Amino acid sequence: MRGCRWLAIALCLIHLALPSSSEAQKAPDPALAATQQALELIAERHADPVDEAKLVVAALNELDGISQLSEPLLGARGLGKLPANAAERRRRLIGVLEAAFKRIREGHDLSDEALADAAIKGMVAALDPGSLYIDAAKWRDNQGWAKRGSIGLKLTEDRGIRVVEPIEDAPAQLAGIQAGDFILAIDKEPVAGWPLASVVSKLNGPLDSEITLTIGRPGAAAPLDVTMRRATVRLPHVHARLIDGVGYVALTGFYPHTAAKLKAALAKLRAEAGAGFKGYILDLRDNPGGLLDGATAAAGIFFETALVATTKARGKDIDRLQAGSLDPLREGKLVVLINRGTAAAAELLANVLKEHRDAVLVGSITAGAGSVQTVLGLGEGNGALRLTTSRLFLPNGKPLDKNGIKPDQAVEDSRDRDKDQPATPALEPRLDAKDRQLQAALKVLGK
């Protein structure tokens, strides 16, 4: 009996020592968790040192705007004296945010998503212009589109839904769809009378999903059924043509296969030019950049070896971008067209071609977009940061950011925008006799 009594007492003590069911099941604050993660990522990954206290103040100011409280969240005392110890300082700042969320919730019915979006938006707004916050709704939408595929057709409404052009290397072209074909049905469902937008929507779908088009081809005895799988489709970004013995190539972005496509285009133009070959024009106008590795590989076509750029964060080297080829393209004079829309990786390519291939730069000063951004998700149900994580430096040590690359021959053009506007990718080059920059480049090559 005595043993049973002591067992009962022991069980009672254990029960008292355990947290209550409400405490054990208390869920973490989703808004606070997302905001804390954003604060920590910014503090650890941003290219420049950050003051976490200033970020929290910016977050509180943004929360004031959505909460409409009678008194500001920060109050007259501000944050008060913060601990010198970094870990304690951060804990205090997180506590300030937690108290702010609690106060807002007491008087307003705001969702966790709205609170986190406002707080993080405020913090990111206090950073550099290249950093931005993708709110939860937009991030979900982006993630959804990333899982959708297409077949790559340019279409028009002309006596039905007619194919203008299949996009190079896209599923439709690989399956044999041709310009001039008419789409009669999608997965056996007739599309007669459908608006073009509805047809395009039906053509898109989950990545790798199968789709069958019934095609009417002029001259064919009967309609054709063509089956393919949807994929990620990118518009062509290497545009080449021969202009009176000059090999003209426009690059509208940089991707993993840019160098291979550029090299093939240059070789084809050289062969077409024959004995009348005068040289190359590489058009980088309105090229917003893209993958640094893509631009570095493209640069390597033209010389044996060279340093293209250095990336740095908080004063320390992160990476050195080297380019080169065992069989560089030496033949022919090279002119590079640049303008205020030439940015980031495109600027690096223009600069290294001038330094190591004696390219003549024609046009106007480039954008000076010398920062590298990384997209960092904040967990399921939350948004994402597009954070500036490093900065680009030219081989001579000069920062690209805000400086830009100057042309050897300055030629302004109506294509140019205000230098402070962001670069916008051009889908296709625009060539005409009024293009003064192009005409100046042709003159350099003796046309």
Side-chain angles (χ1 to χ4, degrees), residues 238-257:
V238 179
H239 308 270
R241 61 179 288 187
L242 196 64
I243 306 176
D244 295 337
V246 173
Y248 169 90
V249 181
L251 296 181
T252 56
F254 295 101
Y255 302 94
H257 305 300

Side-chain angles (χ1 to χ4, degrees), residues 106-333:
E106 287 173 351
H108 299 275
D109 186 20
L110 290 173
S111 67
D112 293 327
E113 185 176 299
L115 289 172
D117 280 348
I120 300 170
K121 178 183 176 183
M123 289 194 294
V124 174
L127 301 173
D128 65 292
S131 295
L132 62 82
Y133 174 58
I134 307 168
D135 65 38
K138 289 180 182 177
W139 183 240
R140 283 194 297 270
D141 188 51
N142 289 343
Q143 296 294 91
W145 275 108
K147 297 176 182 178
R148 291 183 65 78
S150 180
I151 60 172
L153 287 175
K154 296 180 182 179
L155 303 172
T156 186
E157 289 182 281
D158 177 17
R159 295 167 291 140
I161 304 300
R162 181 171 60 84
V163 176
V164 176
E165 179 187 6
I167 293 174
E168 183 182 0
D169 295 332
Q173 186 200 47
L174 298 176
I177 303 296
Q178 301 175 10
D181 287 347
F182 286 88
I183 298 178
L184 305 179
I186 302 174
D187 291 332
K188 303 299 183 180
E189 184 177 359
V191 299
W194 286 22
L196 182 59
S198 297
V199 173
V200 171
S201 178
K202 186 74 172 179
L203 292 175
N204 296 329
L207 275 176
D208 202 39
S209 59
E210 193 174 85
I211 180 173
T212 298
L213 302 187
T214 302
I215 294 298
R217 179 166 295 166
L224 310 170
D225 283 340
V226 183
T227 300
M228 64 208 80
R229 290 189 175 275
R230 296 177 176 95
T232 299
V233 175
R234 290 189 174 90
L235 292 173
H237 64 285
V238 179
H239 308 270
R241 61 179 288 187
L242 196 64
I243 306 176
D244 295 337
V246 173
Y248 169 90
V249 181
L251 296 181
T252 56
F254 295 101
Y255 302 94
H257 305 300
T258 297
K261 290 183 177 295
L262 174 60
K263 190 171 184 179
L266 293 171
K268 183 179 179 181
L269 290 171
R270 177 65 187 89
E272 289 177 359
F277 176 64
K278 297 183 177 71
Y280 297 104
I281 293 175
L282 185 61
D283 192 344
L284 298 179
R285 292 177 295 177
D286 296 325
N287 182 327
L291 296 178
L292 288 176
D293 288 347
T296 302
I301 295 171
F302 297 92
F303 42 75
E304 288 182 353
T305 182
L307 176 65
V308 177
T310 302
T311 62
K312 297 184 179 184
R314 304 191 182 190
K316 297 181 180 179
D317 287 3
I318 301 298
D319 194 12
R320 290 171 62 83
L321 304 176
Q322 297 277 355
S325 170
L326 296 175
D327 183 28
L329 179 63
R330 302 181 186 279
E331 185 185 10
K333 194 168 184 179

